[in-house]
């Protein structure tokens, strides 16, 4: 049981290039999330998905796109990379969001460190 | 506008002593609070949580206290161990349509000195 896996671990892009950050989970979770963490800051939600074929914007979606064709995979696409997208990107998943009186924790991948020069 | 604030960027504690990490929030709609722990080059891992209907939740060496009137929560680690050295994030969730979204603080880096 690998949990949430992300590839690549590191990447350097030139301004204007594009790339896809891969995320896979093997826990059969319905909900998946993409966050970014800038230095000295908390995590900010980029996009999320409540199931295959359903995605929606989070707090900071500009410059990114996502798709969810399977339960397991939730790739994040950067088009026309900009220096402002230099960050650490975390993918996460959870079974659902809320149970009665509880909150389903999110499980995080190890992150992708992206630098745009 | 930060809705979840962790005002101490770092904290150093001697091994065996108590570590107290603090978190303040401004959004009165938050009703569930979580603490995540993060080691370098790893993703955050869930540590402990508390619902707004409680004022305390305990799990082994970790206890979270919630003071709703002050919009303040704290994480106590007793006794602190060197392996507890990490960045701790406070996160909050509001019930309803946006309950999927966790709002994170900036984190507090805890160093436990042997």
């Amino acid at each position: 049981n690998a949990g949430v896996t992300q590839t690549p671990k590191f990447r350097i892009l030139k301004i204007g290039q594009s790339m896809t950050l891969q995320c896979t989970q093997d826990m059969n979770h319905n909900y998946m999330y993409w966050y970014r963490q800038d230095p000295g800051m908390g995590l900010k939600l980029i996009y999320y998905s409540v199931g295959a074929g359903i995605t929606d914007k989070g707090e900071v979606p500009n410059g990114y796109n996502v798709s969810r064709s399977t339960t397991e995979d939730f790739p994040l696409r950067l088009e026309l990379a900009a220096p402002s997208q230099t960050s650490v990107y975390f993918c996460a998943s959870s079974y659902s969001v809320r149970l009665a009186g509880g909150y389903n924790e999110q499980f995080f991948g190890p992150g992708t460190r992206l630098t745009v020069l | 506008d930060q809705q979840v604030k962790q005002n101490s960027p770092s904290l150093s504690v001697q091994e065996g002593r108590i570590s107290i990490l603090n978190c303040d929030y401004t959004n009165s709609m938050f009703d569930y609070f979580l603490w995540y722990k993060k080691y370098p080059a790893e993703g955050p891992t869930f540590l402990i949580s508390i619902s707004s209907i409680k004022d305390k939740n305990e799990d082994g060496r970790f206890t979270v206290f919630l003071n709703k009137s002050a919009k303040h929560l704290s994480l106590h680690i007793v006794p602190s161990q060197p392996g507890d050295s990490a960045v701790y994030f406070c996160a909050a969730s509001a019930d309803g349509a946006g309950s999927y979204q966790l709002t994170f603080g900036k984190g507090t880096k805890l160093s436990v000195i042997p």
Side-chain angles (χ1 to χ4, degrees), chain A residues 31 33 35 37 40-45 48 57-59 90 97-98 101-111 113, chain B residues 31-32 34 36 38 41-46 49 51 89 93-97 99-107:
Chain A
Y31 281 66
Y33 316 81
Y35 292 88
Q37 184 192 12
M41 303 295 288
L43 283 73
K44 293 189 182 297
L45 185 67
Y48 72 101
K57 297 176 181 178
E59 185 182 357
F90 292 102
V97 180
R98 291 273 179 141
Y103 188 95
N104 272 307
E105 64 176 283
Q106 295 181 18
F107 293 82
F108 284 81
R113 184 175 295 275
Chain B
D31 68 338
Y32 215 83
L34 303 90
Y36 278 83
K38 185 183 178 306
E42 294 184 10
T45 55
F46 170 75
S49 63
S51 165
F89 290 99
S93 171
D95 200 2
S99 62
Y100 60 87
Q101 181 158 347
L102 289 178
T103 302
F104 285 84
K106 292 183 178 181

Side-chain angles (χ1 to χ4, degrees), chain A residues 7-21:
Chain A
T7 56
K9 289 191 182 340
F10 305 95
R11 183 72 184 268
I12 298 175
L13 283 181
K14 294 182 179 178
I15 295 172
Q17 287 185 319
S18 61
M19 75 165 294
T20 299
L21 282 67

Side-chain angles (χ1 to χ4, degrees), chain A residues 64-82:
Chain A
Y64 307 95
N65 278 299
V66 293
S67 60
R68 183 99 181 268
S69 57
T70 67
T71 300
E72 296 77 21
D73 300 307
F74 190 39
L76 178 72
R77 178 83 177 163
L78 278 72
E79 305 281 4
L80 298 174

Side-chain angles (χ1 to χ4, degrees), chain A residues 89-102:
Chain A
Y89 292 83
F90 292 102
C91 179
S93 71
S94 65
Y95 179 67
S96 64
V97 180
R98 291 273 179 141
L99 297 172

